[in-house]
């Protein structure tokens, strides 16, 4: 099967989101689609799958002009869209989720579970996957749920599968498994459209890559004929210089020192971070990095261990204690813990600092507003103003709002858990620049990251966690992908 | 998203915002005009003052309920608190305890009952609906036990000028409970909209996890908020007891429903995080005008309930529609 999208244009009101775009994918290839947030990738895929109507242009399926009125029609033609956010019902068994609204029935309206199981198993066999169909789907890992999504598309006999950021929440291990499956599907003649922000994956899995920017398709390359620099250049429309800004750290005194931290998720963890330093925390997902940070910040309980901030030993019982000692924590999941999505930017940004704006018991509204405006400007948040709802911003800008909270609260120790996840290239660079600026002014930063390139590209030291143990802390300049991966998988470097 | 759609979304949003802020006000005015046209005596100053006095009890409870609902919670025990704290106050007055002290002790017990609700919800991690349903039942039962099922009344109450004044008195021609309502409205308004406590209340309702990470002490906030709700219910209870010159064992029955209705009519979202104190005041007035107006029009109390229910339903559906748009 081959799909050609030709001269597609789409406007919302007077704003052109797609401008005379061409894109094609054929069976037996993995075609990556790259571009910053807002470049038009999603709009194009939504048009392909019948969710949106183009203003002009044609879609050819195997050379024949085709038009899908809705997603179901596209699905019936063999085009499956695996969305980034999986809409599963966590409490419902795997099987019920897989056949939701497509239940197979026998007489009297009863559901034919046996038949459904047979069909589902056939799809899962293709992926070499085994699951207990009666298990609630929410108990599966994100990676497994992703596989179930793929199995669902196989059940509909999909010839073209669109994957939107499929690896965003997967561990390194699960990513490799996913790639095996993708290659297998490709070899079976399925065409895959692969949307991702991760450069290294692109070169590992894609046969072709199309870069979009500002509603235009900039270029389509054979992956073998291009490189990271070329693609980044196409994505941002200029050279990024080095992808990661250089670090010129000037270290001061030790700002955070922990020793013997223990709870049921990690054991005997000791490390310290100095003023002006970026200490990266690397490790596989589930190794316990996030849990260590949550305990330091007082979200989770510690069973043992001491925490010293700025030389003073503290008992941190809740985040309030941590904040009052100038510790800030950007959580891994900004939607559930970082932001109040339907509150304004102002109400989000000043929340950790709000007690400081209390004058005679009342909030000093003017000082508060000035404070918020200053931070929005300083972090270059793209929004109409402080009264925008946080949920209305793009991922990168939401992340900047969370950062603004912690910059504003005067954090001397700033813990950033996956600060650039789900953030486009341009905003990523801005976040690194901000981190540089903060460390220049003496902030100590801990950066938990699953992106090994980032860890190696933008830190001074790297702490590696494996199954709740801190394996080692190494100087970044002495570290390599291999040495970090060895530690992260429980090995020792000689 | 394109600039155009963003601008459109903004326009729609601000219309929704307008509705949220002024919709209840418009509804109130329409209602007042309607009732006045059907029966001129509605606008009689005496009737209006009477209406305000009637509203004061529900409004006080609703101010507390506003805080509770903003956190995404609910308090079903307020009506029972009205009854039990009222009974305590009445018993104290009868026992010859100074009037002011009796009133204060009654209000304090209300605050304590509220704090207990808060502790159960914060530390027991109990769903507010069930927790306060249970305490409602317990407190109502306790009221029956305490009053032995009979009204608490006596000449020491009906002859006590200070106590009578609290619910029945007039100051410069305006019923005293109206002053109490006004004072607590101002307090509640300032607390919610001008202090860090208010900001944290919204944060807690908007996203409790994010609020906690940002340093809000969620449990402490919840306990304080339910304490406020309990306290204001007891103030309402004192007014009611004084007005009737007796404490009825079934006083305040189903008052939680009127308070919740006032909050919701005022545009506050039951999901928490969104709403304004002014809206709740308007909501309480809408219910007051509705009750008063229907009485004036001679509508039977059976039909009154149906009408009230329909009005609440329409308000909620309109609100939903706006939220979706």
């Amino acid at each position: 099967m081959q799909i050609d999208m030709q001269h597609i244009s789409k406007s919302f009101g007077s704003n052109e989101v797609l401008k005379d775009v061409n894109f094609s994918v054929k069976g037996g290839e993995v075609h990556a689609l790259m571009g910053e947030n807002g470049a038009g990738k999603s709009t194009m895929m939504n048009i392909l799958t019948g969710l949106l109507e183009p203003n002009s242009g044609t879609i050819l399926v195997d050379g024949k002009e085709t038009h899908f009125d809705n997603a179901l029609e596209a699905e019936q033609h063999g085009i499956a869209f695996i969305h980034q956010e999986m809409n599963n019902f966590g409490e419902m068994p795997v099987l019920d989720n897989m056949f939701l609204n497509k239940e197979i029935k026998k007489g009297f309206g009863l559901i034919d579970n046996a038949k459904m199981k047979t069909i589902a198993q056939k799809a899962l066999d293709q992926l070499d996957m085994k699951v207990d169909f009666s298990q609630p789907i929410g108990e599966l890992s994100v990676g497994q749920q992703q596989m179930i999504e793929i199995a669902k598309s196989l059940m509909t006999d999909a010839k073209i599968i669109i994957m939107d950021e499929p690896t965003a929440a997967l561990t390194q291990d699960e990513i490799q498994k996913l790639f095996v499956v993708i290659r297998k599907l490709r070899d079976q003649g399925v065409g895959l459209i692969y949307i991702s922000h991760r450069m290294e994956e692109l070169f590992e899995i894609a046969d072709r890559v199309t870069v979009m920017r500002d509603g235009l398709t900039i270029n389509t390359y054979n992956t073998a004929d291009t490189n990271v620099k070329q693609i980044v250049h196409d994505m941002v429309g200029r050279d990024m210089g080095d992808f990661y800004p250089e670090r010129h750290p000037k270290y001061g005194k030790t700002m955070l020192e922990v020793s013997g931290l223990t709870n049921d998720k990690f054991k005997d963890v000791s490390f310290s971070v100095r003023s002006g330093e970026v200490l990266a925390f690397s490790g596989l997902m589930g190794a316990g990095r996030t849990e260590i940070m949550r305990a330091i910040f007082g979200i989770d309980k510690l069973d043992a261990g001491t925490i010293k901030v700025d030389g003073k030993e503290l008992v941190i019982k809740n985040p309030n204690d941590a904040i009052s000692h100038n510790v800030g924590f950007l959580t891994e999941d900004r939607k559930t813990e970082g932001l109040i999505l339907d509150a304004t930017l102002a109400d989000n940004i000043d929340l950790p600092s709000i007690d400081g704006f209390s004058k005679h018991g009342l909030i000093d509204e003017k000082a508060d507003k000035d404070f918020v405006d200053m931070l929005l400007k300083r972090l270059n948040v793209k929004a109409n103003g402080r009264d925008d709802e946080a949920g209305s911003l793009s991922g990168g800008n939401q992340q900047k709002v969370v950062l603004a909270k912690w910059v504003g609260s005067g954090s001397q120790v700033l813990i950033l858990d996956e600060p650039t996840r789900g953030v486009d290239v341009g905003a990523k660079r801005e976040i690194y620049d901000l981190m540089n600026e903060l460390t220049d002014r003496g902030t100590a930063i801990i950066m938990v990251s699953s992106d090994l390139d980032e860890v190696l590209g933008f830190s001074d030291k790297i702490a590696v966690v494996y199954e709740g143990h801190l394996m080692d802390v190494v100087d970044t300049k002495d570290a390599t992908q291999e040495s970090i991966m060895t530690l992260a998988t429980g090995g020792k470097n000689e | 998203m394109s600039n155009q759609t963003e601008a459109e979304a903004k326009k729609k949003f601000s219309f929704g915002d307008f509705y949220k802020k002024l919709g209840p006000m418009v509804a109130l005015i329409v209602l007042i005009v309607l009732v006045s046209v059907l029966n001129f005596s509605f606008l009689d100053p005496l009737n209006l003052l009477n209406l305000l006095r009637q509203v004061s009890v529900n409004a006080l409870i609703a101010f507390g309920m506003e805080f509770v609902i903003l956190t995404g919670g609910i308090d079903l025990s307020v009506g029972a608190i009205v009854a039990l704290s009222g009974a305590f106050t009445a018993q104290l007055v009868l026992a010859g305890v100074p009037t002011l002290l009796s009133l204060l002790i009654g209000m304090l017990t209300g605050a304590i009952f509220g704090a207990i609700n808060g502790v159960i919800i914060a530390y027991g991690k109990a769903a507010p609906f069930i927790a306060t349903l249970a305490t409602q039942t317990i407190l109502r039962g306790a009221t029956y036990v305490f009053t032995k099922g009979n009204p608490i009344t006596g000449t020491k109450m009906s002859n006590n000028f200070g106590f009578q004044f609290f619910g029945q008195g007039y100051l410069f021609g305006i019923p005293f409970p109206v002053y109490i309502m006004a004072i607590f409205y101002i307090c509640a308004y300032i607390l919610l909209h001008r202090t860090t406590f208010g900001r944290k209340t919204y944060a807690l309702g908007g996203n409790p996890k994010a609020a906690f990470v940002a340093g809000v002490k969620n449990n402490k906030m919840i306990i304080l908020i339910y304490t406020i709700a309990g306290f204001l219910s007891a103030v309402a209870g004192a007014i009611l007891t004084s007005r009737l010159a007796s404490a009825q064992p079934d006083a305040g029955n189903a008052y939680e429903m009127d308070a919740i209705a006032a909050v919701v009519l005022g545009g506050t979202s039951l999901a928490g995080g969104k709403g304004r104190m002014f809206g709740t005041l308007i909501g309480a007035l809408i219910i007051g005008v509705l009750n008063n107006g229907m009485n004036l029009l001679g509508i039977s109390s059976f039909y009154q309930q149906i009408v009230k229910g329909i009005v609440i339903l329409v308000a909620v559906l309109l609100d939903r529609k706006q939220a979706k748009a």
Side-chain angles (χ1 to χ4, degrees):
Chain A
M1 184 157 162
Q2 167 151 2
I3 289 178
D4 294 283
M5 299 178 75
Q6 294 178 341
H7 307 294
I8 303 280
S9 293
K10 174 72 186 171
S11 307
F12 294 112
S14 66
N15 190 302
E16 283 188 279
V17 186
L18 291 177
K19 302 164 195 163
D20 196 20
V21 163
N22 296 305
F23 180 77
S24 74
V25 59
K26 53 181 187 287
E29 76 160 347
V30 178
H31 194 152
L33 192 52
M34 301 285 291
E36 296 195 62
N37 292 336
K41 295 169 304 200
S42 303
T43 308
M44 191 156 79
M45 290 303 111
N46 285 337
I47 287 172
L48 175 57
T49 52
L51 292 167
L52 285 175
E53 187 81 4
N55 295 107
S56 62
T58 51
I59 300 174
L60 304 179
V61 176
D62 289 332
K64 213 177 82 201
E65 190 170 337
T66 312
H67 175 92
F68 303 128
D69 275 331
N70 53 50
L72 192 65
E73 259 189 60
E75 201 177 297
Q76 283 158 355
H77 278 81
I79 300 172
F81 195 166
I82 300 176
H83 293 268
Q84 188 177 0
E85 319 239 319
M86 288 172 285
N87 297 311
N88 282 327
F89 295 84
E91 303 289 326
M92 235 188 234
V94 172
L95 192 68
D96 297 13
N97 267 294
M98 290 180 79
F99 284 90
L100 198 64
N101 257 332
K102 296 176 222 165
E103 292 87 354
I104 297 170
K105 290 182 190 139
K106 46 192 179 190
F108 305 111
L110 298 177
I111 290 172
D112 191 345
N113 273 315
K115 193 165 174 195
M116 278 160 42
K117 265 184 200 161
T118 318
I119 294 172
Q121 192 54 55
K122 223 176 96 193
L124 289 174
D125 283 344
Q126 273 178 274
L127 306 176
D128 286 327
M129 192 182 168
K130 283 190 180 49
V131 299
D132 174 3
F133 285 125
S134 59
Q135 196 180 4
I137 203 163
E139 290 176 6
L140 301 186
S141 71
V142 181
Q144 283 174 309
Q145 292 189 40
Q146 194 99 49
M147 291 294 174
I148 298 281
E149 286 297 309
I150 296 170
K152 270 160 74 174
S153 60
L154 293 178
M155 286 182 347
T156 62
D157 206 18
K159 295 282 182 287
I160 300 288
I161 299 178
I162 304 163
M163 295 184 180
D164 191 0
E165 295 261 3
T167 58
L170 300 192
T171 64
Q172 210 58 44
D173 219 32
E174 288 171 325
I175 291 173
Q176 288 312 320
K177 268 192 204 145
L178 177 70
F179 284 177
V180 170
V181 168
I182 290 178
R183 290 194 188 100
K184 200 167 155 190
L185 291 171
R186 179 187 63 192
D187 296 343
Q188 289 168 4
V190 175
L192 293 113
I193 301 173
Y194 188 91
I195 303 173
S196 175
H197 283 305
R198 293 189 181 174
M199 206 63 75
E200 73 276 13
E201 287 176 0
L202 158 72
F203 286 94
E204 195 174 338
I205 196 74
D207 303 304
R208 285 201 292 168
V209 53
T210 293
V211 183
M212 292 188 74
R213 185 179 77 233
D214 299 334
L216 296 166
T217 38
I218 304 297
N219 267 315
T220 298
Y221 304 99
N222 288 319
T223 320
D225 306 334
T226 185
N227 56 43
V228 175
K229 212 169 159 201
Q230 178 75 54
I231 287 174
V232 170
H233 177 268
D234 285 352
M235 279 169 74
V236 298
R238 62 193 148 89
D239 276 313
M240 289 284 289
D242 257 325
F243 195 78
Y244 299 99
E246 277 183 44
R247 296 267 317 137
H248 297 289
K250 273 204 258 340
Y251 304 130
K253 58 186 170 175
T254 299
M255 285 307 297
L256 175 75
E257 188 177 0
V258 303
S259 60
L261 297 186
T262 302
N263 75 9
D264 56 344
K265 296 280 166 51
F266 49 85
K267 217 180 152 204
D268 200 18
V269 171
S270 307
F271 66 89
S272 66
V273 52
R274 289 171 286 181
S275 161
E277 189 171 42
V278 175
L279 171 65
F281 262 73
S282 189
L284 301 177
M285 218 165 274
R289 295 166 300 163
T290 296
E291 287 75 10
I292 295 169
M293 300 310 151
R294 292 175 72 86
I296 292 174
F297 196 65
I299 300 173
D300 297 339
K301 295 260 174 299
L302 271 176
D303 294 336
T306 56
I307 300 170
K308 275 191 200 168
V309 176
D310 201 5
K312 249 196 339 221
E313 190 168 330
L314 304 176
V315 179
I316 293 176
K317 289 198 296 283
N318 53 46
N320 194 283
D321 292 341
I323 293 165
S324 63
H325 290 94
N326 298 322
V327 182
F329 184 32
L330 177 139
T331 51
E332 185 178 22
D333 189 339
R334 66 176 163 266
K335 289 204 165 99
T336 60
E337 290 187 322
L339 290 171
I340 302 165
L341 289 172
D342 50 12
T344 62
L345 301 184
D347 286 345
N348 273 288
I349 288 174
D350 66 15
L351 193 56
S353 322
I354 192 72
D355 286 327
F357 289 100
S358 191
K359 215 162 74 179
H360 314 301
L362 302 185
I363 294 172
D364 184 344
E365 302 280 350
K366 187 174 178 311
D368 182 30
K369 275 182 185 145
D370 290 347
F371 169 78
V372 169
D373 289 345
M374 180 271 288
L375 284 165
L376 286 174
K377 206 168 145 219
R378 182 160 165 221
L379 276 91
N380 194 21
V381 177
K382 289 188 192 77
N384 295 314
R386 71 177 98 85
D387 292 328
D388 275 11
E389 285 186 27
S392 71
L393 302 190
S394 71
N397 280 300
Q398 286 186 3
Q399 195 73 318
K400 286 192 224 165
V401 170
V402 185
L403 272 167
K405 263 166 66 166
W406 298 116
V407 171
S409 74
S411 304
Q412 292 300 306
V413 177
L414 191 51
I415 305 170
L416 307 174
D417 196 353
E418 304 287 359
T420 64
R421 178 184 285 174
V423 165
D424 64 57
V425 178
K428 253 186 194 175
R429 178 64 191 246
E430 284 182 74
I431 289 173
Y432 297 133
D433 286 337
L434 177 78
M435 286 163 72
N436 257 340
E437 188 194 321
L438 290 170
T439 51
D440 283 348
R441 293 202 287 137
T443 309
I445 292 181
I446 297 173
M447 176 181 76
V448 177
S449 173
S450 296
D451 182 344
L452 205 46
D453 281 346
E454 176 176 85
V455 166
L456 289 164
F458 194 77
S459 71
D460 305 323
K461 277 187 171 179
I462 304 171
V464 188
V465 181
Y466 167 71
E467 293 193 342
H469 295 271
L470 182 57
M471 301 300 283
D472 204 356
V473 181
V474 297
D475 276 341
T476 305
K477 56 182 188 302
D478 304 330
T480 60
Q481 295 242 4
E482 291 71 33
S483 68
I484 299 298
M485 258 346 250
T486 307
L487 289 168
T489 48
K492 285 249 178 328
N493 289 308
E494 292 311 318
Chain B
M1 196 189 271
S2 68
N3 289 333
Q4 181 73 18
T5 48
E6 248 167 310
E8 270 170 24
K10 203 162 184 258
K11 215 185 288 167
K12 263 186 202 153
F13 169 71
S14 56
F15 174 74
D17 209 33
F18 165 82
Y19 176 85
K20 271 245 145 91
K21 269 185 187 152
L22 294 180
M25 191 75 185
V26 173
L28 177 64
I29 292 168
V30 169
L31 195 60
I32 289 174
V33 169
L34 195 71
V35 175
S36 317
V37 168
L38 291 173
N39 190 333
F40 287 124
S41 57
F42 174 80
L43 290 175
D44 185 330
L46 270 181
N47 181 55
L48 290 180
L49 289 176
N50 190 32
L51 184 154
L52 283 179
R53 193 177 60 191
Q54 288 163 355
V55 164
S56 63
V57 170
N58 182 34
L60 283 165
I61 303 172
F63 297 156
M65 190 69 81
E66 169 76 12
F67 282 96
V68 169
I69 289 180
L70 276 175
T71 68
I74 197 110
D75 189 346
L76 300 181
S77 71
V78 288
I81 293 178
V82 164
L84 188 52
S85 63
F88 281 164
T89 306
Q91 194 64 54
L92 288 168
V93 171
L94 283 185
V97 174
T99 310
L100 199 59
L101 190 62
S102 307
L103 289 169
L104 286 176
I105 291 174
M107 291 170 197
L108 189 69
T109 53
I112 291 169
F113 296 143
I116 292 170
N117 278 335
V119 169
I120 295 170
I121 290 160
Y123 289 103
K125 307 278 169 232
F129 187 95
I130 297 301
T132 58
L133 182 65
T135 53
Q136 177 205 61
T137 314
I138 294 168
L139 294 175
R140 179 64 66 185
T143 311
Y144 285 124
V145 171
F146 186 74
T147 60
K148 300 187 183 69
N150 297 314
I152 298 177
T153 185
T155 46
K156 268 196 178 159
M157 273 169 83
S158 42
N159 292 338
N160 182 325
F161 173 77
F163 183 68
Q164 296 288 66
F165 185 79
F166 194 74
Q168 299 179 19
Y170 283 80
L171 199 63
F172 308 117
I174 292 172
F176 190 64
V178 177
Y179 290 98
I180 300 175
M181 171 173 79
I183 288 167
F184 280 111
Y185 172 72
I186 292 168
C187 292
Y189 181 90
I190 290 174
L191 188 62
L192 184 60
H193 298 301
R194 293 277 177 269
T195 70
T196 61
F197 182 88
R199 286 289 184 87
K200 289 174 188 173
T201 304
Y202 281 104
L204 197 56
N207 182 345
K209 281 185 182 171
F212 183 64
V213 170
V216 175
K217 292 178 176 167
N218 293 11
N219 287 345
K220 189 178 132 196
M221 287 294 296
I222 286 171
I223 293 168
L224 283 174
I225 282 167
Y226 281 87
T227 304
I228 292 171
F231 172 76
L232 287 173
S233 306
V235 175
I239 293 175
L240 192 67
T241 311
S242 162
R243 200 168 79 201
L244 301 174
S246 82
Q248 304 285 338
D250 58 355
N253 199 17
Y255 277 23
E256 59 277 1
M257 289 306 157
D258 270 0
I260 294 166
V263 170
V264 172
L265 281 173
T268 298
S269 155
L270 280 175
K274 292 204 158 177
R276 297 190 59 82
M277 195 53 77
F278 180 67
T280 293
L281 178 65
I282 298 297
L285 287 170
I286 290 174
I287 291 175
V289 172
L290 214 51
N291 284 336
N292 180 285
M294 286 193 292
N295 278 334
L296 283 181
L297 298 174
I299 296 173
S300 107
S301 64
F302 301 151
Y303 284 102
Q304 287 194 16
Q305 291 218 18
I306 297 177
V307 173
K308 239 162 78 178
I310 291 172
V311 167
I312 293 166
L313 206 53
V314 168
V316 172
L317 291 177
L318 274 176
D319 185 47
R320 284 292 89 206
K321 218 169 166 188
Q322 287 307 320
K324 266 189 228 155

